[in-house]
Amino acid sequence: MNWHHLLYYSNGKLYWKVSPANRVKIGDEAGNPNKYGYARFAYKGKYYLAHRVIWEMHYGAIPEGMEVDHIDHDRLNNVISNLRLASSSDNSRTMSLRSTNKSGTSGVSWNAARNKWQARVWANGKRINLGLFETREEAVAVREAANLKHNYHANHGK
């Protein structure tokens, strides 16, 4: 879709060039955070994610199988320099730590049944167990080595 006739981009935000609904005026910001923290807006009964629209306005259609990733992990920071194309697996590798993570490192967890630290990594769509370790530091070191081996990004698990 050619977004340029509907919207204009400025400093990571989209603004309406037209009035798509009675309560929306020309110049109003397009988009509010959804329940997942991404800015989205509605047009003709369909919802669109602002970061994807911004990418398309700058670079054209998003290739099949690719996603638009927020480099700094801030889902509302849609400045074009903060957006990049990534495959689904690359995008998942650079995710922020889950709020339930207790080890401070992605792929490292406490195995209560064995009373040891466990390290795992995903590669080529498969989970690889890296082993059980006495200390968290050992598990983290093995996971970091696996990150390098499997070409994980530098900000993975940070």
Side-chain angles (χ1 to χ4, degrees), residues 16-37:
W16 291 106
K17 284 185 175 180
V18 299
S19 178
N22 288 337
R23 65 185 185 279
V24 179
K25 296 177 180 56
I26 294 172
D28 282 354
E29 184 177 339
N32 292 303
N34 67 9
K35 67 181 181 177
Y36 303 107

Side-chain angles (χ1 to χ4, degrees), residues 109-120:
S109 60
W110 178 251
N111 185 323
R114 303 250 174 121
N115 210 25
K116 294 186 185 246
W117 289 96
Q118 182 169 1
R120 296 177 175 163

Side-chain angles (χ1 to χ4, degrees), residues 109-145:
S109 60
W110 178 251
N111 185 323
R114 303 250 174 121
N115 210 25
K116 294 186 185 246
W117 289 96
Q118 182 169 1
R120 296 177 175 163
V121 68
W122 281 88
N124 301 320
K126 295 182 182 179
R127 184 172 69 182
I128 300 169
N129 275 323
L130 301 172
L132 296 168
F133 304 90
E134 295 295 326
T135 68
R136 186 186 75 77
E137 291 74 18
E138 288 176 289
V140 168
V142 169
R143 173 56 196 254
E144 287 175 354

Side-chain angles (χ1 to χ4, degrees), residues 57-95:
M57 289 176 78
H58 283 80
Y59 302 114
I62 299 166
E64 184 78 24
M66 298 300 279
E67 299 174 357
V68 179
D69 179 32
H70 291 86
I71 295 167
D72 70 356
H73 305 280
D74 179 351
R75 295 175 177 178
L76 292 176
N77 181 2
N78 292 321
V79 174
I80 193 65
S81 62
N82 187 49
L83 303 177
R84 70 177 183 108
L85 278 183
S87 68
S88 180
S89 61
D90 279 344
N91 198 5
S92 65
R93 285 183 196 146
T94 62
M95 287 173 54

